Amino acid sequence: MGKSNAIRSDNCSPSGDEHQIDLENLLAKLDTSENGLTEEEAAQRLNTCGANILEETNKRSPLYNYLKQFKNFFSILLAVGSLLSFFAEWLDPGQGNLYIGFALAGVVVLNATFTFVQEYQAEKIMESFRQLIPPQSKVIRNGKIRDVLATELVVGDVIVLEEGDKVPADGRLIEVNSFKVDNSPITGEAEPQLRALICTHPNILECRNMVFSGTLVQTGNGKAVVFGTGMHTQIGKLATLTEKTYSAETPIRKELNHFIHIISAIAIFLGVSFFLLAFFIQDVVLASLIFAIGIIVANVPEGLLPTVTLALSLASKRMAKRNALIKQLESVETLGSTTVICTDKTGTLTQNKMAVSSLLVGLNETDIHDNNNISDIFVRVSALCNNARITEKAPGYRGDPTEGSLLVFASSLADIKTLNDQYPRLQEYPFDSIRKSMQVICSTPHGGLEAYLKGAPEIIVDMCNSIITKDGEVPLTDEKKQTILDKHLAMAERGERVLALAYRVAEEEIDYQDGFVFLGFAGAIDPPRAEARDAIARCHTAGIKVVMITGDHPVTARSIARSVGLISDGDDLVMITGDELEELTHTELAAKLTTKSIIFARTSPVQKLKIVQTFQSAGEIVTMTGDGVNDAPAIKTADMGVAMGSGTDVAREAADMVLLDDNFATIVYAVEEGRTVFDNIKKFIAYILTSNIPEILPFIAFVLLAIPLPMTVQLILAIDLGTDILPALALGVEKGEGDIMKRPPRARSEKLLTPQVLFTAYGIKGPIEAAAGFFCYFAVLKDGGWTFGQQLPFNDPVYMQAITAFFGAVIVCQIANVFTSRTRTQSLFSKGIFSNRYVLVGIASELLILSIIMWHPFAQKVFNTAPLDLRYIMLALPFALLILVFDELRKYFIRKDVKIVDRFLGW
């Protein structure tokens, strides 16, 4: 066949029918032959089609990604406040506005940096895909086999594949020899599939004359002509799909954005309103501007995002100790919101380790450890009619998983090396899709020959004319054959992969087709994880639906689902195969997803993505678990992506959380932690909002009552970024209240900031704290000889002491507030006042900061404070006690189900 050096650019991309067209026509289409290309032709095609690499699209520079973090509303608001502070410092130097400007700018940079670091993790996804392509490959060039870089493979190359090789490109097989490939990274199917030269399925992923980039050769060898490289391979399509798939915005991010918008709107409204009010009353632009800045700064909780981030970080560290590695901090809370968990089967609910679980010896079911009833010949056939090899590394064998499990079983009853030495193999007739059996001829220690046979039960039984029973060898009647096949069906319904074993005395080294003695069945299964059943039961108790999505056969999927408690007898089960799913409209699928028990079998990567997106469109918060490349797009799209630690790099990089111990039960702990985090964030929001009122009212009193300003902007920042931070973090590590895993997932409509939280903070606790501040403030002024209407300069010692007293009073009341905020409905005294030692550390930090601001000379200069007799601060204690009493009464009435209290004060 004549070939030109060049290839048309449209042939660089597969047409999709390479598995179906005649091989000769395919070679003509690719302008190649079974002898491969020349070096010159390969170089020309490399120039036309490009290298065999996975490329990133729409990649942004790290600088761009960092700068975009500054465009959110919260950052813009704080940045404007910072610029206004610098402007005020320029107009009137020395009033402390410089410190305010730097503090606000620092908060903006800190928040942007936190977010950037989290998002940077996602950029590693493409690198993981690249690792699936081997660095070198064997290829036929100029009629000779040689090693080339996998990146230099081109369409039309003929690659040589052997056991243990990673397939470097998509290809059509032109030669096979007992060739099995593990396609699980692409299809999710656990069992390695025997390859063939003919088209066996209209779906290219199911067709056995194909090999795909990134998959692994388990046994045998073969040759293939390359028709797809780089982004034009199946793995390349997955890479593109994953990269173009957008990660779902986390529920906590949505709630924080909602909270920020409301608080910022309040801040801007009050700032502008009181700027105009101050201007009309005092007719001084600069003073009015400084006043407006103060109002905005007092309303905006500058420490909120750093506190939330640190709280999530602490939660992620606790989860790491339980083998759950959190990559996206905000995802800690997402698990707590999860309503649906879509879980893979292989390696997630199961151990991903095939093992012989049951035996049929003759006509009798036999325990696999019952040495007395398992004959030597049964063990010999299991060990010698087998191409797997025993290894020291997990799972204990190398080769086909079903053969490997059979060999491990045999090794528990006999020494494999001794058997191979005593019964050397003389001839093999390998398994293929037509014969569905494997036969070997071995010599015996006595000089004779024996033929050992294993394969599909219906094929092996038909090749036998006798059977071994406890009474010896007897004829295999049609009745006995039917009994055997019925037992095979029962084993298959348990999800087992069943191999039949037989033998006969051989006269010569030929492929015998009859005359065998039936020995029995060996049933192998990928056993479920021991802890999976309890984990799923806890998910159900917590109101979470668990859905299995697998690439395996429906019978296997159903069996595993039943064994781990996903379904039980009497359940209205919906089983949907990939082909059925393809035919369903969005509306039809959405209707089926409302069923209690759902299993998806034989699904493709795109279909997994479709399932996740349909759940999301129905308002569900979806967690997707998996371990293969095929899971990556769905993992990334899900609200919470969870990968197994032993899975592929691609799945781990796409995920928000990695289970280092591959333990499904760890998800349950993570759900509990996520729910606790949401509760705790709500607690410290209620805590930090309370201090907004004693920060705002001094500015209002300053304008309306013409009194000296009781609280400066610097002291407001000392509270928001200083004294409130550690107590808020301490609330972030509170243990969950008793019913946290017995209540359903929180509704999407449940907000962090509710009218009840606002009313409690702004309407009751906040005014009590403000009253305490004003009481201490005026006590200092009165004792200092101040009279109403008298203006005091900022450097007046009495004024400096008075604002110090106001600040100290707020701190005292916030100490009471942090205690009351530790529980939402449970009494503080039943929880234990001192049970959270971090709260005590937080209180100590508040008192330390108060002491430094009162007595350290540099702090006095920055905050315009002065040393103060502590008796003035102690005047705030009755107000702090009032906060404690009020909140205990609030919780008491909520526990007693007093509706009006729950309606207005329950949060």
Side-chain angles (χ1 to χ4, degrees), residues 199-453:
C199 180
T200 59
H201 200 283
N203 183 340
I204 192 170
L205 292 177
E206 299 278 350
C207 193
R208 298 197 176 191
N209 61 359
M210 293 283 109
V211 287
F212 303 109
S213 177
T215 59
L216 184 69
V217 179
Q218 284 278 10
T219 61
N221 55 70
K223 295 177 183 178
V225 58
V226 173
F227 64 84
T229 61
M231 302 303 287
H232 298 302
T233 60
Q234 293 294 324
I235 198 80
K237 293 176 183 177
L238 277 173
T240 302
L241 180 62
T242 303
E243 188 180 10
K244 291 183 177 179
T245 299
Y246 293 98
S247 298
E249 186 178 30
T250 61
I252 193 64
R253 171 53 54 189
K254 293 176 183 177
E255 288 306 308
L256 288 174
N257 287 339
H258 175 261
F259 170 77
I260 288 167
H261 283 134
I262 291 179
I263 293 299
S264 299
I266 293 173
I268 292 173
F269 173 76
L270 291 177
V272 172
S273 299
F274 282 99
F275 169 78
L276 296 174
L277 182 63
F279 178 73
F280 286 128
I281 292 176
Q282 301 182 1
D283 196 24
V284 180
V285 174
L286 179 61
S288 302
L289 178 62
I290 295 173
F291 169 70
I293 293 172
I295 287 287
I296 292 174
V297 170
N299 268 280
V300 176
E302 292 83 5
L304 172 67
L305 293 187
T307 303
V308 169
T309 303
L310 289 171
L312 293 174
S313 180
L314 290 173
S316 71
K317 289 182 179 179
R318 292 195 299 273
M319 293 169 73
K321 293 179 180 178
R322 298 286 293 267
N323 294 310
L325 177 63
I326 294 292
K327 294 175 55 196
Q328 302 290 338
L329 289 181
E330 291 176 0
S331 298
V332 171
E333 190 278 330
T334 306
L335 267 171
S337 308
T338 293
T339 57
V340 175
I341 297 178
C342 295
T343 177
D344 190 27
K345 178 188 74 67
T346 305
T348 307
L349 295 176
T350 65
Q351 300 176 24
N352 199 19
K353 178 184 178 181
M354 292 293 292
V356 172
S357 58
S358 64
L359 297 176
L360 179 75
V361 178
L363 293 172
N364 302 311
E365 294 187 23
T366 303
D367 186 271
I368 61 172
H369 303 294
D370 186 358
N371 295 3
N372 294 327
N373 290 318
I374 303 174
S375 63
D376 291 342
I377 186 63
F378 192 102
V379 175
R380 281 208 306 278
V381 174
S382 300
L384 301 179
C385 189
N386 199 313
N387 284 328
R389 294 194 296 276
I390 295 291
T391 63
E392 294 182 359
K393 294 182 179 180
Y397 57 82
R398 180 175 178 179
D400 176 82
T402 306
E403 279 198 321
S405 64
L406 193 60
L407 186 62
V408 170
F409 155 73
S411 69
S412 67
L413 300 174
D415 182 76
I416 304 300
K417 185 178 183 305
T418 301
L419 286 178
N420 279 302
D421 291 341
Q422 292 178 344
Y423 298 85
R425 180 185 300 184
L426 304 177
Q427 182 65 45
E428 174 187 347
Y429 299 97
F431 183 98
D432 62 41
S433 58
I434 298 175
R435 60 187 288 127
K436 295 183 179 180
S437 66
M438 173 184 177
Q439 184 178 162
V440 296
I441 310 296
C442 297
S443 64
T444 69
H446 306 293
L449 297 176
E450 287 182 340
Y452 302 143
L453 180 71

Side-chain angles (χ1 to χ4, degrees), residues 147 153 211 364 460 496 536 575 730 824 858:
D147 289 333
L153 286 179
V211 287
N364 302 311
I460 304 303
E496 297 179 12
I536 289 172
M575 171 73 74
R824 296 172 64 180
F858 179 75

Side-chain angles (χ1 to χ4, degrees), residues 569-580:
D569 294 336
D571 277 358
D572 185 16
L573 172 67
V574 172
M575 171 73 74
I576 303 174
T577 65
D579 290 338
E580 294 168 343

Side-chain angles (χ1 to χ4, degrees), residues 47-104:
N47 184 59
T48 302
C49 297
N52 181 31
I53 59 175
L54 300 177
E55 301 171 345
E56 293 180 79
T57 59
N58 302 321
K59 185 177 181 180
R60 304 284 190 179
S61 70
L63 178 61
Y64 173 88
N65 290 332
Y66 181 67
L67 291 177
K68 77 175 183 179
Q69 309 302 332
F70 291 91
K71 69 178 183 180
N72 70 73
F73 191 71
F74 192 69
S75 295
I76 292 172
L77 182 66
L78 292 180
V80 170
S82 176
L83 292 174
L84 289 175
S85 299
F86 289 133
F87 180 64
E89 177 69 20
W90 179 69
L91 292 176
D92 188 13
Q95 298 302 314
N97 292 303
L98 182 65
Y99 300 115
I100 298 171
F102 280 124
L104 295 179

